[in-house]
Amino acid sequence: MTPPRTPQIPVVVLAGFLGSGKTTLLNHLLRNRAGTRIGVIVNDFGAIEIDAMTVSGQVGSTVSLGNGCLCCAVDASELDTFLETLTRPSARLDVIVIEASGLAEPQELVRMLLASDNPHILYGGLVEVVDAAEFGRTRQRHPEIDRHLAVADLVVLNKTDRVGEAERERLRAAVAELSGPAAVISAVHGRIDPELLFDPALRPDHEDKVRQLTFEDLLREEAPGGHEGHDDHLHASYESVDFTSDIPMDPRRFMEFLDSRPDGLYRIKGFVDFGTGDRDNTYALHAVGRFLRFVPRPWARGEQRLTQLVMIGAGIDAAALSAGLAACRADGADRADETGRADAADVERAMWGVLRYVQEQAPEPEVFDAHETADPREAAAEA
């Protein structure tokens, strides 16, 4: 049986103009990480303040935030270097978040990620944070915000507690018009459900090398009562739809479904069985915004052949999505078994649409000699 491969690490770009609440949202993710090890790259210069800790220094500094979470201050030209550092096996990170400078061009960071030769990363989406109370004035000072919203995968309309209900709905409609198919969710103090951006690793704390007072603990202590009072209601901002089928999916119909996925559908993740399209492999699906990738993996011996998908978004029609996926299931002729009733050439042609988005698995992680001289940045990752 083929040994398991190291999964690629999603890289999320967190953007927004000065004062929109990017750092507050990032702190919220860190205190609600549920065992997930987060690497933070700050695309800015000088002193970087992140709530309880101030990372002072020049571009290129790396600081451990505790429990494997890291913070790096980088210039865009050094992005690949730090991604290489953070994706080393010794860092054991589950997700990387790039907090872009308030005056950065987020699409440039996205372009760099998509063009990166690093096989260990996977684009995790562009999240644009918008200050609801200052949106009009921000557009006057920075008209380029329209361009930023147009390329966003998820828009967080933050600080909605500072505007009335009617104004909030007007702003939501205006932002949705500018951001097109992107999901738009409202938030207060940057509180969004981390599962919108990444899957919780649920790693117990005792797995960390040293258990001491951590950055996460400090943040929890700062919150009234030791926790965020409204976190129980974060799920109200979005919807999650599960789909499971023991009938293989027709590749042509499934790709038509993906090509026409509705506005507001932010993430799709899971595994797809294409039946006669590829009997040897299941296809891991990763879709975020407009980004789409399939990664084939051999079926394990005795593994039940299922399609299992989770769809996450805001303002989506759960029943319509479930019905749309159900309609993608292969009918009797398409599901021809080894007797070969299905036209093999037609099935092969139907798979072409899938194969256009296939990305090979990342190579096996390098094996490091425990006695070789450690890179100082790697040492920070292991701290």
Side-chain angles (χ1 to χ4, degrees):
M1 186 172 66
T2 303
R5 299 275 189 169
T6 301
Q8 292 173 297
I9 301 174
V11 181
V12 178
V13 178
L14 182 60
F17 283 94
L18 297 171
S20 60
K22 298 189 305 297
T23 300
T24 303
L25 191 155
L26 178 57
N27 288 329
H28 168 76
L29 295 179
L30 288 168
R31 46 168 89 91
N32 292 279
R33 64 188 183 90
T36 303
R37 297 168 67 94
I38 303 175
V40 179
I41 295 179
V42 181
N43 172 221
D44 212 339
F45 294 89
I48 310 300
E49 184 174 1
I50 302 183
D51 268 11
M53 176 181 287
T54 299
V55 181
S56 298
Q58 300 302 312
V59 169
S61 61
T62 303
V63 177
S64 174
L65 301 184
N67 281 350
C69 297
L70 302 174
C71 181
C72 305
V74 305
D75 186 350
S77 64
E78 296 182 314
L79 184 59
D80 275 336
T81 300
F82 274 86
L83 287 174
E84 182 65 30
T85 300
L86 295 182
T87 55
R88 288 177 179 174
S90 55
R92 296 171 57 227
L93 295 178
D94 300 302
V95 63
I96 296 171
V97 179
I98 300 176
E99 183 186 357
S101 161
L103 297 177
E105 286 290 342
Q107 61 265 45
E108 179 63 16
L109 290 173
V110 172
R111 185 196 63 76
M112 293 173 67
L113 289 175
L114 295 178
S116 174
D117 293 327
N118 189 327
H120 300 290
I121 65 170
L122 185 66
Y123 178 57
L126 168 60
V127 180
E128 182 78 16
V129 184
V130 174
D131 183 340
E134 295 290 328
F135 181 61
R137 286 181 285 273
T138 300
R139 286 188 78 190
Q140 290 178 352
R141 292 192 304 269
H142 303 290
E144 60 270 28
I145 191 174
D146 291 10
R147 184 173 67 251
H148 296 183
L149 288 169
V151 297
D153 300 301
L154 173 68
V155 179
V156 178
L157 186 59
N158 196 29
K159 305 184 183 180
T160 53
D161 57 324
R162 299 186 182 181
V163 297
E165 183 175 353
E167 177 65 4
R168 183 164 59 247
E169 291 305 312
R170 187 193 69 79
L171 286 169
R172 184 182 178 87
V175 168
E177 183 177 357
L178 292 168
S179 59
V184 180
I185 62 170
S186 299
V188 175
H189 302 304
R191 290 192 294 256
I192 66 172
D193 195 320
E195 288 193 55
L196 270 168
L197 306 183
F198 53 80
D199 301 327
L202 299 176
R203 181 182 290 103
D205 284 328
H206 63 73
E207 285 191 12
D208 288 299
K209 293 184 178 179
V210 178
R211 184 68 181 109
Q212 57 185 354
L213 187 64
T214 67
F215 180 67
E216 183 181 15
D217 296 327
L218 291 172
L219 289 172
R220 281 178 175 162
E221 287 183 1
E222 286 186 345
H227 61 84
E228 293 277 354
H230 300 283
D231 284 353
D232 292 340
H233 306 290
L234 294 174
H235 65 277
S237 298
Y238 73 97
E239 296 172 86
S240 178
V241 181
D242 297 336
F243 177 83
T244 301
S245 174
D246 58 0
I247 299 174
M249 308 300 278
D250 176 270
R252 181 175 290 109
R253 294 177 200 160
F254 188 69
M255 292 309 298
E256 289 173 352
F257 170 85
L258 292 178
D259 288 341
S260 61
R261 53 193 187 272
D263 293 356
L265 182 55
Y266 173 59
R267 291 182 70 197
I268 309 177
K269 57 184 179 179
F271 297 89
V272 185
D273 174 17
F274 287 115
T276 56
D278 186 346
R279 292 191 180 282
D280 297 328
N281 294 293
T282 179
Y283 283 72
L285 168 62
H286 170 76
V288 55
R290 303 163 182 83
F291 179 83
L292 175 64
R293 279 290 181 271
F294 288 101
V295 180
R297 171 185 63 79
W299 290 103
R301 182 176 299 177
E303 181 179 358
Q304 187 177 7
R305 301 200 172 203
L306 296 173
T307 292
Q308 296 176 298
L309 297 170
V310 177
M311 296 166 285
I312 299 172
I316 56 178
D317 186 333
L321 286 173
S322 296
L325 281 173
C328 294
R329 292 181 293 193
D331 58 32
D334 294 330
R335 288 185 282 121
D337 55 17
E338 285 79 0
T339 60
R341 285 184 298 164
D343 186 289
D346 184 63
V347 173
E348 182 179 350
R349 285 192 297 269
M351 282 296 293
W352 288 350
V354 175
L355 298 177
R356 286 190 303 134
Y357 295 97
V358 161
Q359 177 172 307
E360 295 300 326
Q361 271 279 21
E364 295 294 339
E366 299 175 64
V367 177
F368 294 95
D369 185 342
H371 300 289
E372 68 182 10
T373 303
D375 183 292
R377 291 173 180 170
E378 186 172 341
E382 294 176 328

